[in-house]
Amino acid sequence: MLLLVGLLSLTTAKAQNHNLEVGKNLEIFNTLYSQLDLFYVDSLDPGQTMTAGIKGMLRSLDPYTEYFPEEKKNELEMMLTGKYAGIGALVKYHTRLKRVVIDEPYEGMPAAEVGLKKGDIILTIDDSVMTDKSVSYVSSHLRGDAGTTFVLKVKRPSTGKEMKFRITRRNIKMPELPYYGMRPDSIGYINLNQFTEDCSKEVRRAFVELKHQGAKAMVFDLRSNGGGSEMEAVNTVNIWVPQEQMVVENRGKVEQASRAYKTRLEPVDTVMPLVVLVNGETASASEITSGALQDLDRAVVMGTRTYGKGLVQVPLDLPYNANVKITTSKYYIPSGRCIQAINYNRETGAAYTEHIADSLTHVFHTRNGREVRDGGGIKPDIEIKTDTMSNISYYLATSGLDSTEVMFDYIVDYIARHEQIAQPKEFHLTEEDWQEFRQRVIDSGFTYDNLSRKQFDELVKAAKFEGYYDELQDTFDALKDKLHHDVATELDRHRKDVQQMLELDIISAYYYQRGYLEAGLNYDKQLMEAERLLNNPEEYQRILSPNK
């Protein structure tokens, strides 16, 4: 009894000391700002200065705890719901033109409906000139309250004509399921790109539809899905898992941050073979989904290790319509593991992070007794790495790296010359098309950093520093000649990759994201392996039940 009383007294003393420290430091903070505001040589902007102080404080915690002043409340709402009000189009900065242009209108959205095209140069929004503005500035003016109307003036590069469009903004929600459909051998495919409000209903609907079309097995694609709603993850797992099954448990410092989530609904199918595809950008709610299905031995997880975000955030209201998104707990999936990959060290008072080494992780077990580990994300049951992109492909495709914009401009010109193209699965550039593109790249003066040449230059520096360059100069000169940067040769060497990338971007201009994804599946190494596995039931069962 004396020991219990002593422990309670110690706990109470610690709490009182903590509260005292909080009160003391709040008083210091308030007094400091008052003195700055009174004595600092220049006038302070209260909102700007305090926001900087708040952000500095939050930077010492983790990157997911964020402050949203009133003017950025829409960013939080979009993050939580996937919705915003605008025209529904990606814009980009065209390096050669030094202008912001339309990159990709979204299917069924105002930009596409009024006839905006990829490459249209944004000139004005109502009376505001946009020709010397940044992407963020233009984007902020394209967005606004749903139902408001504005006039957008653009220049279409294929004709040189200036065009005006009257556009009414409306609530834009990116499609959770950009594509789903049937694959060969009665295999269904569903791609989910975010866990926003009601996305689980869309996945359930798509799954039921594919079952009616004859699907006997399913691939659920969560690659590059950054997550979202935890409850939507639970409801998605519920499609393939019975009622009253524990999916995830949150454990926080305070009672209201700790909660266990179980499946609530009747499942659609608990026996159909299922493969979940993941990669390094599969995070948060996507990891809850893939990890729970792995822990429950309901699916084979395939791809590469996931991001490793095992933290849960909750939005809280602040005075004057401000908000804060706070990390309140860690989550634990059915085996009992937390897959958080990074420790955020708060003792230093700075943003110091530490990756958890594999040697420090712990073993847990799935329902069938398979070993799984915490920390470091979800490790796939079958690891399948993607093909790496060639250096020349990367530079041609990445905005800002190619100052000629030759690939983007070729696509814009191609669209202008072709009113329509074949269906996504059937479209391919002709030999004449490829040769035209190849010549345009060569004529444009396109250059890129040759990785092998960069490493060669570093080797030369090291040789000179260590004093053996002179005696090997002939060897270095011969190697330098071999590494000569020739764009035509590189295009021919990597034609398959470059042409595939070019075709997919052209397809997306006609068939939007669903077309891009549908066509891309033809080249998808990880999907092909998933389909191979699903066509081998014995191997599939052996992975999930190795001891049977």
Side-chain angles (χ1 to χ4, degrees), residues 136-168:
S136 59
Y137 184 91
V138 175
S139 293
S140 67
H141 282 70
L142 290 173
R143 295 182 182 184
D145 294 331
T148 57
T149 299
F150 68 97
V151 175
L152 177 65
K153 184 179 179 182
V154 303
K155 181 178 180 180
R156 183 149 294 171
S158 58
T159 62
K161 293 182 178 178
E162 295 185 358
M163 309 169 71
K164 288 184 178 181
F165 297 90
R166 180 171 291 275
I167 306 177
T168 300

Coordinates of all heavy atoms in Angstrom, one line a residue, residues 136-168:
S136 N 2.0 28.3 -58.5 CA 1.1 28.4 -57.3 C 0.2 29.7 -57.4 O -0.9 29.6 -56.9 CB 2.0 28.5 -56.0 OG 2.9 29.6 -56.1
Y137 N 0.7 30.8 -57.9 CA -0.1 32.0 -58.1 C -1.3 31.7 -59.0 O -2.4 32.1 -58.7 CB 0.8 33.1 -58.6 CG 0.0 34.4 -58.6 CD1 0.0 35.3 -57.6 CD2 -0.6 34.8 -59.8 CE1 -0.6 36.5 -57.6 CE2 -1.3 36.0 -59.9 CZ -1.3 36.9 -58.8 OH -2.0 38.1 -58.8
V138 N -1.0 31.1 -60.2 CA -2.0 30.8 -61.1 C -3.0 29.8 -60.6 O -4.3 30.0 -60.7 CB -1.4 30.3 -62.4 CG1 -2.5 29.9 -63.4 CG2 -0.5 31.3 -63.1
S139 N -2.6 28.8 -59.9 CA -3.5 27.8 -59.3 C -4.4 28.4 -58.3 O -5.6 28.1 -58.3 CB -2.7 26.7 -58.6 OG -1.9 25.9 -59.6
S140 N -3.9 29.3 -57.5 CA -4.7 29.9 -56.4 C -5.8 30.8 -57.1 O -6.9 30.9 -56.5 CB -3.9 30.8 -55.5 OG -3.3 31.9 -56.2
H141 N -5.6 31.4 -58.3 CA -6.6 32.2 -58.9 C -7.6 31.3 -59.7 O -8.7 31.7 -60.0 CB -5.9 33.2 -59.9 CG -5.4 34.4 -59.1 ND1 -4.3 34.3 -58.3 CD2 -5.8 35.7 -59.1 CE1 -4.0 35.5 -57.8 NE2 -4.9 36.3 -58.2
L142 N -7.2 30.1 -60.1 CA -8.1 29.2 -60.8 C -9.1 28.6 -59.8 O -10.2 28.3 -60.1 CB -7.3 28.1 -61.5 CG -6.5 28.5 -62.7 CD1 -5.7 27.3 -63.2 CD2 -7.4 29.0 -63.8
R143 N -8.6 28.5 -58.5 CA -9.5 28.0 -57.5 C -10.3 29.1 -56.9 O -10.0 30.3 -57.1 CB -8.7 27.3 -56.4 CG -8.0 26.1 -56.9 CD -7.3 25.4 -55.8 NE -6.6 24.2 -56.3 CZ -5.9 23.4 -55.5 NH1 -5.8 23.6 -54.2 NH2 -5.3 22.3 -56.0
G144 N -11.4 28.8 -56.3 CA -12.3 29.8 -55.6 C -13.5 29.1 -55.1 O -13.6 27.8 -55.0
D145 N -14.6 29.8 -54.8 CA -15.8 29.3 -54.3 C -16.6 28.6 -55.4 O -16.6 29.1 -56.5 CB -16.7 30.3 -53.7 CG -16.0 30.9 -52.4 OD1 -15.2 30.2 -51.8 OD2 -16.3 32.1 -52.1
A146 N -17.1 27.4 -55.1 CA -18.0 26.7 -56.1 C -19.1 27.6 -56.5 O -19.8 28.3 -55.7 CB -18.5 25.4 -55.4
G147 N -19.4 27.6 -57.8 CA -20.5 28.4 -58.4 C -20.1 29.7 -58.9 O -20.8 30.4 -59.6
T148 N -18.8 30.2 -58.6 CA -18.4 31.5 -59.1 C -17.9 31.3 -60.5 O -17.3 30.2 -60.9 CB -17.2 32.0 -58.2 OG1 -16.2 31.1 -58.1 CG2 -17.8 32.3 -56.9
T149 N -18.0 32.3 -61.4 CA -17.7 32.2 -62.8 C -16.6 33.2 -63.1 O -16.6 34.3 -62.5 CB -18.9 32.5 -63.6 OG1 -19.9 31.5 -63.4 CG2 -18.6 32.4 -65.1
F150 N -15.7 32.9 -64.0 CA -14.7 33.8 -64.4 C -14.3 33.5 -65.9 O -14.8 32.5 -66.5 CB -13.4 33.6 -63.6 CG -12.7 32.3 -63.8 CD1 -11.6 32.2 -64.7 CD2 -13.1 31.2 -63.1 CE1 -11.0 31.0 -64.9 CE2 -12.4 29.9 -63.3 CZ -11.4 29.9 -64.2
V151 N -13.6 34.4 -66.5 CA -13.2 34.3 -67.9 C -11.7 34.0 -67.9 O -10.9 34.7 -67.4 CB -13.5 35.6 -68.7 CG1 -13.0 35.5 -70.1 CG2 -15.0 35.9 -68.7
L152 N -11.4 32.9 -68.6 CA -10.0 32.5 -68.8 C -9.6 32.7 -70.2 O -10.2 32.2 -71.1 CB -9.9 31.0 -68.4 CG -8.5 30.4 -68.6 CD1 -7.5 31.0 -67.6 CD2 -8.5 28.8 -68.4
K153 N -8.5 33.4 -70.4 CA -8.0 33.7 -71.7 C -6.7 32.9 -71.9 O -5.8 33.0 -71.0 CB -7.7 35.2 -71.9 CG -7.2 35.6 -73.3 CD -7.0 37.1 -73.3 CE -6.5 37.5 -74.7 NZ -6.2 39.0 -74.8
V154 N -6.6 32.1 -72.9 CA -5.5 31.3 -73.2 C -5.0 31.5 -74.7 O -5.8 32.0 -75.5 CB -5.7 29.8 -73.0 CG1 -6.2 29.5 -71.6 CG2 -6.7 29.2 -74.0
K155 N -3.8 31.1 -74.9 CA -3.3 31.0 -76.3 C -3.0 29.6 -76.6 O -2.3 28.9 -75.9 CB -2.0 31.8 -76.4 CG -1.4 31.8 -77.8 CD -0.2 32.7 -77.9 CE 0.4 32.8 -79.3 NZ 1.6 33.6 -79.4
R156 N -3.6 29.1 -77.7 CA -3.4 27.7 -78.2 C -2.2 27.7 -79.1 O -2.2 28.2 -80.2 CB -4.7 27.2 -78.9 CG -4.6 25.7 -79.3 CD -6.0 25.1 -79.2 NE -6.5 25.0 -77.9 CZ -7.7 24.6 -77.6 NH1 -8.6 24.3 -78.6 NH2 -8.1 24.6 -76.3
P157 N -1.2 27.0 -78.7 CA 0.1 27.0 -79.4 C 0.0 26.4 -80.8 O 0.7 26.8 -81.7 CB 1.1 26.2 -78.6 CG 0.2 25.4 -77.6 CD -1.0 26.2 -77.4
S158 N -0.9 25.4 -81.0 CA -1.0 24.8 -82.3 C -1.6 25.7 -83.4 O -1.3 25.5 -84.6 CB -1.9 23.5 -82.2 OG -3.2 23.9 -81.8
T159 N -2.3 26.7 -83.0 CA -2.9 27.6 -84.0 C -2.4 29.1 -83.8 O -2.5 29.9 -84.7 CB -4.5 27.7 -83.8 OG1 -4.8 28.1 -82.5 CG2 -5.1 26.3 -84.0
G160 N -1.9 29.4 -82.6 CA -1.4 30.7 -82.3 C -2.6 31.6 -82.0 O -2.4 32.8 -81.7
K161 N -3.8 31.1 -81.9 CA -5.0 32.0 -81.6 C -5.1 32.1 -80.1 O -4.9 31.2 -79.3 CB -6.2 31.3 -82.2 CG -6.3 31.3 -83.7 CD -7.6 30.7 -84.2 CE -7.6 30.8 -85.8 NZ -8.9 30.1 -86.2
E162 N -5.6 33.3 -79.7 CA -6.0 33.6 -78.3 C -7.5 33.2 -78.2 O -8.3 33.6 -79.1 CB -5.7 35.0 -77.9 CG -4.3 35.3 -77.9 CD -3.9 36.7 -77.4 OE1 -4.9 37.5 -77.1 OE2 -2.8 37.1 -77.3
M163 N -7.8 32.5 -77.1 CA -9.2 32.0 -76.9 C -9.7 32.4 -75.5 O -8.9 32.4 -74.6 CB -9.3 30.5 -77.1 CG -8.6 30.1 -78.4 SD -8.4 28.3 -78.5 CE -10.1 27.7 -78.7
K164 N -11.0 32.7 -75.4 CA -11.6 33.0 -74.1 C -12.6 31.9 -73.8 O -13.4 31.5 -74.6 CB -12.3 34.3 -74.1 CG -11.3 35.5 -74.2 CD -12.0 36.8 -74.1 CE -11.0 38.0 -74.1 NZ -11.7 39.3 -74.0
F165 N -12.6 31.5 -72.5 CA -13.5 30.5 -72.0 C -14.2 31.0 -70.7 O -13.5 31.5 -69.8 CB -12.8 29.2 -71.7 CG -12.1 28.5 -72.8 CD1 -10.8 28.8 -73.2 CD2 -12.8 27.6 -73.6 CE1 -10.2 28.2 -74.2 CE2 -12.2 27.0 -74.7 CZ -10.9 27.3 -75.0
R166 N -15.5 31.0 -70.7 CA -16.2 31.3 -69.5 C -16.4 30.0 -68.7 O -17.1 29.1 -69.1 CB -17.5 32.0 -69.8 CG -18.3 32.4 -68.5 CD -19.6 33.2 -68.9 NE -19.1 34.5 -69.4 CZ -18.9 35.6 -68.6 NH1 -18.9 35.4 -67.3 NH2 -18.5 36.7 -69.1
I167 N -15.8 30.0 -67.5 CA -15.8 28.7 -66.7 C -16.4 29.0 -65.3 O -16.1 30.0 -64.7 CB -14.4 28.2 -66.5 CG1 -13.7 28.1 -67.9 CG2 -14.4 26.9 -65.8 CD1 -12.2 27.6 -67.7
T168 N -17.3 28.1 -64.9 CA -17.9 28.1 -63.6 C -17.2 27.1 -62.7 O -17.2 25.9 -63.0 CB -19.4 27.8 -63.6 OG1 -20.0 28.8 -64.5 CG2 -20.0 27.9 -62.2

